[in-house]
Amino acid sequence: MNMTELVARVVRETLREMRACMPARVVSYDPSRQMAQVEIVQPEIMPDGEIVQQPVISEVPVSWPRAGGAHMTFPIRRGDTGIVLFADRDIGGWVSDNDGSAPDTDRAHSITDAVFIPGIQGGGVSANADDVELQYRGSTIHIRQSGQVEVNAPSVVVNASTATINATTTNNGDVTVNGNATING
């Protein structure tokens, strides 16, 4: 084996062992800590062709959209899918203390430094290409391109000290309000 082949082999082996991101499935989730146990969905194929199942990864922080004092979360259940990212460096100290101190080790792209982003799903699941859509069980909220908001739900509860409803029509012509409300229309 010449030097070029040796370097190519070392680079190939190094890249094979380096982790970046993989599809994963939730094994369990602790919403009070926003931590999950996840399993990588796809097995690993070893250089000799052996197929090896991936281990369950514990204490994985779940990434939620959060900024400017606002955040969005939703229920996570066993079997939900997403993607697990592997940090460039040891994030154990940051996960436990939320500080910018130096990493505890020099490890890189380790399976123990994973972050889970729920929602990514394989298999060609369809999505609404035109509107913002929120769905949960029997309720759906559509925010249409026109700006119209459509709520389809068994019931809607608004808790507010005051409410203003600007309406010109309703589906059945009736608007019922219990409490303080101003209805324009």
Side-chain angles (χ1 to χ4, degrees):
M1 177 180 309
N2 66 34
M3 184 58 82
T4 302
E5 291 169 333
L6 179 62
V7 169
R9 184 177 184 181
V10 168
V11 168
R12 190 172 45 251
E13 269 304 301
T14 301
L15 289 175
R16 193 186 73 70
E17 292 178 12
M18 187 176 88
R19 298 183 180 277
C21 62
M22 293 290 294
R25 180 181 306 116
V26 173
V27 174
S28 66
Y29 176 61
D30 180 350
S32 66
R33 297 177 51 237
Q34 297 181 31
M35 294 287 225
Q37 282 191 325
V38 299
E39 60 184 347
I40 296 171
V41 174
Q42 295 176 306
E44 185 171 352
I45 299 175
M46 305 307 286
D48 65 0
E50 178 187 6
I51 295 177
V52 177
Q53 294 301 317
Q54 299 289 329
V56 171
I57 310 168
S58 297
E59 296 297 301
V60 179
V62 175
S63 175
W64 295 109
R66 179 182 310 270
H71 71 273
M72 181 175 66
T73 64
F74 39 85
I76 293 182
R77 305 284 186 251
R78 179 180 180 85
D80 286 346
T81 59
I83 194 160
V84 64
L85 308 175
F86 303 98
D88 288 345
R89 298 289 176 263
D90 175 353
I91 62 170
W94 173 78
V95 168
S96 63
D97 301 330
N98 193 30
D99 67 8
S101 60
D104 296 332
T105 70
D106 68 347
R107 69 179 179 245
H109 297 277
S110 171
I111 199 167
T112 59
D113 295 312
V115 174
F116 181 70
I117 301 173
I120 296 172
Q121 187 171 346
V125 176
S126 65
N128 188 319
D130 300 317
D131 307 317
V132 173
E133 183 178 280
L134 303 172
Q135 274 190 12
Y136 183 58
R137 300 201 178 192
S139 299
T140 305
I141 299 172
H142 290 274
I143 303 174
R144 306 282 184 204
Q145 287 181 354
S146 65
Q148 176 189 19
V149 177
E150 179 183 316
V151 178
N152 296 301
S155 67
V156 176
V157 176
V158 177
N159 295 313
S161 57
T162 62
T164 302
I165 300 170
N166 295 314
T168 54
T169 61
T170 61
N171 282 346
N172 63 5
D174 297 326
V175 176
T176 303
V177 177
N178 297 319
N180 270 343
T182 302
I183 300 174
N184 301 318

